[in-house]
Amino acid sequence: MIKKQDAALALEEALRAGADFAEFFFEDRHELNIRFNRDINRLSNIHVHGAGLYLIRGTCSVYAYASDTSLPSLLHLCRTAAGLLRAGITSSRPISPFMQTNVREPNPVQIYPGSVDTQRKTALLENLHRAILSTGSDVKNLDLAYFDTDQNVIIANSEGVWAEDQRVTSRIRMTPAVVGERETIGYYTDFTRPAGFEAFADGAYLDHAVQTVAEMRACLTADEAPSGYMPVVLAGGECSGTFFHEACGHQFESQTVLRGSPFTGKIGQKVASDRVTLVDDGSMPGAYGSSKFDDEGMPRQKNILIENGVMKSYLCDRLGALRLGVPRTASGRRQGYGFAPAARMSNTYLAPGPDDPDEMIRSMPIGLYVTHMGGGSSGQEFTLLAQTAYLVKNGAIDRQVKGAILLGRGDETMKKIDRVGNVLELENGGAFCGNVSGLCNTTTSGARMRIEGMLIGGKGGKLLC
């Protein structure tokens, strides 16, 4: 993709123009997308190739990028970016010699997508289409899509970092709609794996689809969720993980901390219940948010954000760490070479606690038990859609309800967590998180947890004990 000697010459040009630090992010990415509804609607092959240049002087930065990675283009990019930095000085100091770090591959690939012909990939969608329609005649408007990505990156910087990484993912998106007598339930769901074509060998994507349709069908006959202030139990896996992703995860990212979040200046202080230990780990084997290096060439690592309720760390990219005066956390991530890196979550999870998961419901006179989370929004205040939820009465599941919206402030709600289960459940797959540096792969996992009380919005009227 790029010769080391060419990268070194370009980086030296950037330092000569006045930057304290210079970094290239080289990317070569192949993507395939097949849209399917009874037959192929669209097929697209995408090839992305280019380089992004990041310059820092003091705590000021400039980011520029180009699709031409030839040496003359890179030298021009360096001079242009340095001019925008307006350093006003020149330097002759050399870059550090490149050193390549060996890092264990968290997501080894068996069958690279490019080695599999389109016919075999289309056959997956044909099988899936038949499997979903066979569940019942009430399934309508079934749209499917297949995606695979093979991204090769090189990060080279003036401190001597030379990091090479290959990230391969496979994904099927399904959007079924189940029609009932009074309404239609439909939403998309993704089957995702940080793997090649082997991701589909065991047929798990078919089981995922059938389960999704069953959940939609059950939702048709569910009562509308009541509204009010009540205890809430969040199932382990993506439910409890999504809560922390939206309630505080974005507020821990350095660019948000610098703007002012409820957690700015709170390292070493109590920010959550004693039962809460929150971790973000970009090195987890087999996880959708993992890679060998972050997008600034630092080996991925496990970061403890909250330990027994006490805040321990922010998520920091290089520039965020400089401005905050704290260590980097290998959290600099980006969608591609057209985006400057920023601190982002990867695999975020609530660590197991001391409590019996079943006791949480047995000891609850009335409340809500959420087993599947839908969309949400983050900020100082968050909202979360409980896609699948059940009303709890007298310590037992009463009935399924739909349309429940969970509302609150992250910094307040985390202090109301009175139970955390003793079993860690991992999200089965992963998702995308969108923010300032584009879409990044993430997972949200955790133990089952209970919030002693929070506000629930629903169309089912006021909750009656």
Short mmCIF file of all heavy atoms in Angstrom, two decimals, residues 196-237:
data_model
loop_
_atom_site.label_atom_id
_atom_site.label_comp_id
_atom_site.label_asym_id
_atom_site.label_seq_id
_atom_site.Cartn_x
_atom_site.Cartn_y
_atom_site.Cartn_z
N GLY A 196 -14.75 -13.79 8.47
CA GLY A 196 -14.98 -13.92 7.05
C GLY A 196 -16.23 -14.74 6.78
O GLY A 196 -17.16 -14.79 7.60
N PHE A 197 -16.25 -15.46 5.65
CA PHE A 197 -17.45 -16.19 5.24
C PHE A 197 -17.77 -17.34 6.20
O PHE A 197 -18.88 -17.86 6.20
CB PHE A 197 -17.26 -16.72 3.81
CG PHE A 197 -18.54 -17.09 3.13
CD1 PHE A 197 -19.46 -16.10 2.77
CD2 PHE A 197 -18.84 -18.41 2.83
CE1 PHE A 197 -20.66 -16.45 2.14
CE2 PHE A 197 -20.02 -18.76 2.21
CZ PHE A 197 -20.93 -17.77 1.85
N GLU A 198 -16.81 -17.73 7.01
CA GLU A 198 -17.07 -18.79 7.99
C GLU A 198 -18.13 -18.38 9.00
O GLU A 198 -18.68 -19.22 9.73
CB GLU A 198 -15.78 -19.18 8.72
CG GLU A 198 -15.23 -18.15 9.69
CD GLU A 198 -14.30 -17.13 9.03
OE1 GLU A 198 -14.26 -17.10 7.78
OE2 GLU A 198 -13.63 -16.39 9.76
N ALA A 199 -18.45 -17.08 9.07
CA ALA A 199 -19.46 -16.59 10.01
C ALA A 199 -20.82 -17.25 9.80
O ALA A 199 -21.64 -17.30 10.73
CB ALA A 199 -19.59 -15.07 9.87
N PHE A 200 -21.07 -17.76 8.60
CA PHE A 200 -22.38 -18.29 8.27
C PHE A 200 -22.42 -19.81 8.21
O PHE A 200 -23.45 -20.41 7.89
CB PHE A 200 -22.84 -17.71 6.92
CG PHE A 200 -22.71 -16.22 6.86
CD1 PHE A 200 -21.71 -15.62 6.10
CD2 PHE A 200 -23.57 -15.40 7.58
CE1 PHE A 200 -21.59 -14.24 6.04
CE2 PHE A 200 -23.45 -14.03 7.53
CZ PHE A 200 -22.45 -13.44 6.76
N ALA A 201 -21.32 -20.46 8.56
CA ALA A 201 -21.21 -21.92 8.39
C ALA A 201 -22.16 -22.69 9.28
O ALA A 201 -22.66 -23.76 8.89
CB ALA A 201 -19.77 -22.36 8.64
N ASP A 202 -22.42 -22.20 10.50
CA ASP A 202 -23.23 -22.98 11.45
C ASP A 202 -24.72 -22.66 11.38
O ASP A 202 -25.51 -23.22 12.15
CB ASP A 202 -22.72 -22.77 12.88
CG ASP A 202 -22.81 -21.31 13.34
OD1 ASP A 202 -23.25 -20.45 12.54
OD2 ASP A 202 -22.42 -21.02 14.49
N GLY A 203 -25.13 -21.77 10.47
CA GLY A 203 -26.55 -21.45 10.32
C GLY A 203 -27.13 -20.58 11.40
O GLY A 203 -28.36 -20.42 11.50
N ALA A 204 -26.27 -19.99 12.23
CA ALA A 204 -26.78 -19.15 13.34
C ALA A 204 -27.56 -17.95 12.81
O ALA A 204 -28.46 -17.45 13.50
CB ALA A 204 -25.61 -18.68 14.21
N TYR A 205 -27.26 -17.49 11.61
CA TYR A 205 -27.99 -16.35 11.06
C TYR A 205 -29.45 -16.70 10.82
O TYR A 205 -30.34 -15.85 10.93
CB TYR A 205 -27.32 -15.86 9.77
CG TYR A 205 -27.44 -16.77 8.57
CD1 TYR A 205 -28.34 -16.49 7.56
CD2 TYR A 205 -26.64 -17.91 8.45
CE1 TYR A 205 -28.46 -17.33 6.45
CE2 TYR A 205 -26.74 -18.74 7.36
CZ TYR A 205 -27.65 -18.45 6.36
OH TYR A 205 -27.76 -19.28 5.26
N LEU A 206 -29.75 -17.98 10.53
CA LEU A 206 -31.13 -18.42 10.34
C LEU A 206 -31.88 -18.42 11.68
O LEU A 206 -33.02 -17.96 11.76
CB LEU A 206 -31.15 -19.81 9.71
CG LEU A 206 -30.52 -19.94 8.32
CD1 LEU A 206 -30.41 -21.41 7.92
CD2 LEU A 206 -31.32 -19.16 7.29
N ASP A 207 -31.23 -18.92 12.72
CA ASP A 207 -31.84 -18.92 14.06
C ASP A 207 -32.12 -17.50 14.52
O ASP A 207 -33.17 -17.22 15.12
CB ASP A 207 -30.93 -19.63 15.06
CG ASP A 207 -30.72 -21.09 14.73
OD1 ASP A 207 -31.59 -21.68 14.06
OD2 ASP A 207 -29.67 -21.65 15.12
N HIS A 208 -31.17 -16.60 14.25
CA HIS A 208 -31.34 -15.20 14.63
C HIS A 208 -32.57 -14.60 13.96
O HIS A 208 -33.36 -13.88 14.59
CB HIS A 208 -30.09 -14.41 14.23
CG HIS A 208 -30.18 -12.94 14.43
ND1 HIS A 208 -29.94 -12.33 15.65
CD2 HIS A 208 -30.50 -11.94 13.57
CE1 HIS A 208 -30.09 -11.03 15.53
NE2 HIS A 208 -30.44 -10.77 14.27
N ALA A 209 -32.76 -14.91 12.68
CA ALA A 209 -33.89 -14.37 11.94
C ALA A 209 -35.22 -14.90 12.46
O ALA A 209 -36.18 -14.14 12.66
CB ALA A 209 -33.74 -14.69 10.46
N VAL A 210 -35.30 -16.20 12.69
CA VAL A 210 -36.54 -16.81 13.17
C VAL A 210 -36.91 -16.26 14.54
O VAL A 210 -38.09 -15.98 14.83
CB VAL A 210 -36.38 -18.35 13.21
CG1 VAL A 210 -37.57 -18.99 13.92
CG2 VAL A 210 -36.26 -18.90 11.79
N GLN A 211 -35.91 -16.07 15.42
CA GLN A 211 -36.17 -15.51 16.75
C GLN A 211 -36.67 -14.07 16.64
O GLN A 211 -37.59 -13.67 17.37
CB GLN A 211 -34.90 -15.56 17.59
CG GLN A 211 -35.09 -15.00 18.99
CD GLN A 211 -33.79 -15.00 19.80
OE1 GLN A 211 -32.81 -15.61 19.42
NE2 GLN A 211 -33.80 -14.30 20.92
N THR A 212 -36.10 -13.30 15.72
CA THR A 212 -36.53 -11.91 15.55
C THR A 212 -37.99 -11.83 15.13
O THR A 212 -38.76 -11.02 15.65
CB THR A 212 -35.65 -11.21 14.49
OG1 THR A 212 -34.30 -11.17 14.97
CG2 THR A 212 -36.13 -9.80 14.22
N VAL A 213 -38.39 -12.69 14.18
CA VAL A 213 -39.78 -12.69 13.72
C VAL A 213 -40.71 -13.11 14.86
O VAL A 213 -41.80 -12.55 15.02
CB VAL A 213 -39.94 -13.61 12.50
CG1 VAL A 213 -41.40 -13.78 12.13
CG2 VAL A 213 -39.17 -13.06 11.31
N ALA A 214 -40.29 -14.08 15.67
CA ALA A 214 -41.11 -14.50 16.81
C ALA A 214 -41.32 -13.36 17.80
O ALA A 214 -42.42 -13.18 18.35
CB ALA A 214 -40.45 -15.70 17.50
N GLU A 215 -40.27 -12.55 18.02
CA GLU A 215 -40.39 -11.40 18.92
C GLU A 215 -41.35 -10.36 18.36
O GLU A 215 -42.15 -9.76 19.09
CB GLU A 215 -39.01 -10.79 19.16
CG GLU A 215 -38.08 -11.65 20.00
CD GLU A 215 -36.69 -11.08 20.13
OE1 GLU A 215 -36.43 -10.02 19.51
OE2 GLU A 215 -35.86 -11.68 20.83
N MET A 216 -41.29 -10.14 17.05
CA MET A 216 -42.21 -9.20 16.41
C MET A 216 -43.66 -9.68 16.55
O MET A 216 -44.57 -8.91 16.85
CB MET A 216 -41.86 -9.01 14.94
CG MET A 216 -40.57 -8.28 14.68
SD MET A 216 -40.25 -8.12 12.90
CE MET A 216 -38.73 -7.17 12.91
N ARG A 217 -43.85 -10.98 16.32
CA ARG A 217 -45.20 -11.56 16.38
C ARG A 217 -45.77 -11.43 17.80
O ARG A 217 -46.95 -11.10 17.98
CB ARG A 217 -45.13 -13.01 15.93
CG ARG A 217 -46.46 -13.63 15.60
CD ARG A 217 -46.26 -14.98 14.93
NE ARG A 217 -45.93 -14.86 13.52
CZ ARG A 217 -44.87 -15.43 12.95
NH1 ARG A 217 -44.02 -16.13 13.68
NH2 ARG A 217 -44.64 -15.28 11.66
N ALA A 218 -44.94 -11.67 18.80
CA ALA A 218 -45.39 -11.54 20.19
C ALA A 218 -45.74 -10.10 20.53
O ALA A 218 -46.66 -9.83 21.31
CB ALA A 218 -44.30 -12.07 21.14
N CYS A 219 -44.99 -9.16 19.92
CA CYS A 219 -45.23 -7.74 20.19
C CYS A 219 -46.59 -7.28 19.67
O CYS A 219 -47.20 -6.36 20.21
CB CYS A 219 -44.11 -6.92 19.55
SG CYS A 219 -44.03 -5.22 20.13
N LEU A 220 -47.11 -7.95 18.63
CA LEU A 220 -48.41 -7.58 18.06
C LEU A 220 -49.52 -7.71 19.08
O LEU A 220 -50.48 -6.92 19.08
CB LEU A 220 -48.72 -8.46 16.84
CG LEU A 220 -48.01 -8.12 15.53
CD1 LEU A 220 -48.27 -9.21 14.50
CD2 LEU A 220 -48.46 -6.77 15.00
N THR A 221 -49.45 -8.71 19.93
CA THR A 221 -50.52 -8.95 20.89
C THR A 221 -50.19 -8.42 22.29
O THR A 221 -50.98 -8.60 23.21
CB THR A 221 -50.80 -10.47 20.99
OG1 THR A 221 -49.59 -11.15 21.35
CG2 THR A 221 -51.29 -11.00 19.65
N ALA A 222 -49.03 -7.78 22.44
CA ALA A 222 -48.64 -7.24 23.75
C ALA A 222 -49.43 -5.98 24.08
O ALA A 222 -49.84 -5.23 23.19
CB ALA A 222 -47.14 -6.94 23.77
N ASP A 223 -49.64 -5.75 25.38
CA ASP A 223 -50.29 -4.52 25.83
C ASP A 223 -49.32 -3.35 25.72
O ASP A 223 -48.10 -3.52 25.77
CB ASP A 223 -50.74 -4.66 27.28
CG ASP A 223 -51.83 -5.71 27.46
OD1 ASP A 223 -52.55 -5.98 26.48
OD2 ASP A 223 -51.94 -6.25 28.58
N GLU A 224 -49.89 -2.15 25.61
CA GLU A 224 -49.05 -0.96 25.67
C GLU A 224 -48.46 -0.82 27.07
O GLU A 224 -49.13 -1.10 28.07
CB GLU A 224 -49.87 0.29 25.33
CG GLU A 224 -50.36 0.36 23.90
CD GLU A 224 -49.24 0.66 22.90
OE1 GLU A 224 -48.13 1.00 23.35
OE2 GLU A 224 -49.49 0.54 21.69
N ALA A 225 -47.20 -0.41 27.14
CA ALA A 225 -46.52 -0.27 28.43
C ALA A 225 -47.15 0.86 29.24
O ALA A 225 -47.52 1.90 28.67
CB ALA A 225 -45.05 0.00 28.22
N PRO A 226 -47.28 0.67 30.54
CA PRO A 226 -47.76 1.76 31.38
C PRO A 226 -46.67 2.81 31.57
O PRO A 226 -45.49 2.57 31.27
CB PRO A 226 -48.08 1.05 32.70
CG PRO A 226 -47.12 -0.09 32.74
CD PRO A 226 -46.97 -0.54 31.31
N SER A 227 -47.04 3.96 32.06
CA SER A 227 -46.07 5.02 32.36
C SER A 227 -45.99 5.21 33.86
O SER A 227 -46.91 4.84 34.61
CB SER A 227 -46.48 6.32 31.68
OG SER A 227 -47.75 6.74 32.14
N GLY A 228 -44.88 5.77 34.30
CA GLY A 228 -44.72 6.03 35.72
C GLY A 228 -43.28 5.86 36.16
O GLY A 228 -42.39 5.61 35.35
N TYR A 229 -43.07 5.99 37.45
CA TYR A 229 -41.75 5.81 38.04
C TYR A 229 -41.73 4.45 38.70
O TYR A 229 -42.57 4.15 39.56
CB TYR A 229 -41.49 6.91 39.07
CG TYR A 229 -40.09 6.91 39.64
CD1 TYR A 229 -39.05 7.55 38.98
CD2 TYR A 229 -39.81 6.28 40.85
CE1 TYR A 229 -37.76 7.56 39.50
CE2 TYR A 229 -38.53 6.28 41.38
CZ TYR A 229 -37.51 6.92 40.70
OH TYR A 229 -36.24 6.93 41.22
N MET A 230 -40.80 3.58 38.29
CA MET A 230 -40.82 2.21 38.78
C MET A 230 -39.43 1.58 38.71
O MET A 230 -38.56 2.06 37.98
CB MET A 230 -41.80 1.38 37.94
CG MET A 230 -41.39 1.20 36.48
SD MET A 230 -42.67 0.44 35.44
CE MET A 230 -43.65 1.91 35.03
N PRO A 231 -39.21 0.47 39.43
CA PRO A 231 -37.96 -0.27 39.29
C PRO A 231 -37.88 -0.90 37.90
O PRO A 231 -38.90 -1.28 37.31
CB PRO A 231 -38.05 -1.34 40.38
CG PRO A 231 -39.12 -0.88 41.31
CD PRO A 231 -40.08 -0.09 40.48
N VAL A 232 -36.65 -1.05 37.40
CA VAL A 232 -36.42 -1.63 36.08
C VAL A 232 -35.28 -2.63 36.17
O VAL A 232 -34.20 -2.30 36.68
CB VAL A 232 -36.10 -0.55 35.03
CG1 VAL A 232 -35.75 -1.19 33.69
CG2 VAL A 232 -37.25 0.42 34.87
N VAL A 233 -35.51 -3.85 35.66
CA VAL A 233 -34.45 -4.85 35.52
C VAL A 233 -34.07 -4.92 34.05
O VAL A 233 -34.94 -5.06 33.19
CB VAL A 233 -34.90 -6.23 36.02
CG1 VAL A 233 -33.85 -7.29 35.69
CG2 VAL A 233 -35.16 -6.20 37.52
N LEU A 234 -32.79 -4.80 33.76
CA LEU A 234 -32.28 -4.92 32.39
C LEU A 234 -31.56 -6.25 32.26
O LEU A 234 -30.66 -6.56 33.04
CB LEU A 234 -31.31 -3.78 32.07
CG LEU A 234 -31.88 -2.35 32.15
CD1 LEU A 234 -30.80 -1.33 31.79
CD2 LEU A 234 -33.07 -2.19 31.21
N ALA A 235 -31.99 -7.04 31.28
CA ALA A 235 -31.37 -8.35 31.05
C ALA A 235 -29.89 -8.18 30.74
O ALA A 235 -29.44 -7.13 30.25
CB ALA A 235 -32.06 -9.06 29.90
N GLY A 236 -29.11 -9.23 31.01
CA GLY A 236 -27.69 -9.20 30.69
C GLY A 236 -27.48 -9.21 29.19
O GLY A 236 -28.37 -9.50 28.39
N GLY A 237 -26.27 -8.88 28.77
CA GLY A 237 -25.95 -8.80 27.34
C GLY A 237 -26.15 -7.39 26.83
O GLY A 237 -25.76 -6.42 27.48
#
